[in-house]
Amino acid sequence: MPPRGTPGPKPRPGAKFSRHRTDERPVTYLPPDGCQDEPPPLPPGRAWSEAEGQHWRELWASPQGEVWDDSAGLAVAALVVATSTILGGGRPSAQLIGEQRALMADLGLTPAAMERLRWVIGEPPRSVRPD
């Protein structure tokens, strides 16, 4: 067995199965000021409180709201309901908290989810050409 600290094989970034290969998926840059579009209306079928309506608008105004389409509406609504229930008092179930966490990840609202989706808040870097 080689002594600890002995380097292994050198990285081969271009190799097909190298663990050192860079991720070639494109990065999506999200606007730092958030989404400027008008949020969609709250889904029907429930009486929404003013706090839930405010949370809905805040989520759609987030930078992530820029890349959500109409199909994200139900997931955003479920997140609003879960968050409202958790913050509304009482003792929320572990299942509800887990569901809220999963919805936040699915919508790209956590740092780990943003990294997985390759979303970056900010402007794309400008190409610097040498003189």
Side-chain angles (χ1 to χ4, degrees):
M1 182 176 205
R4 287 190 166 163
T6 304
K10 293 186 179 187
R12 300 180 329 183
K16 185 175 181 183
F17 296 108
S18 173
R19 67 176 183 204
H20 302 285
R21 193 176 61 204
T22 58
D23 192 349
E24 297 173 5
R25 295 177 298 147
V27 172
T28 300
Y29 291 92
L30 306 178
D33 297 335
C35 181
Q36 303 302 315
D37 297 339
E38 201 57 36
L42 283 159
R46 182 177 197 282
W48 297 94
S49 71
E50 181 55 39
E52 290 170 333
Q54 179 63 30
H55 190 204
W56 171 266
R57 290 185 294 277
E58 288 172 359
L59 287 169
W60 282 99
S62 70
Q64 292 86 340
E66 185 69 29
V67 291
W68 294 338
D69 58 12
D70 292 338
S71 67
L74 289 178
V76 175
L79 177 60
V80 168
V81 171
T83 303
S84 176
T85 303
I86 290 169
L87 298 177
R91 186 175 175 146
S93 68
Q95 182 179 4
L96 180 61
I97 293 171
E99 185 64 26
Q100 181 200 34
R101 186 177 297 132
L103 286 164
M104 290 181 69
D106 290 346
L107 292 167
L109 294 171
T110 65
M114 288 185 62
E115 187 174 328
R116 177 180 47 83
L117 293 166
R118 297 191 46 86
W119 291 353
V120 175
I121 296 175
E123 300 297 323
R126 296 181 184 192
S127 299
V128 178
R129 295 191 320 200
D131 292 330

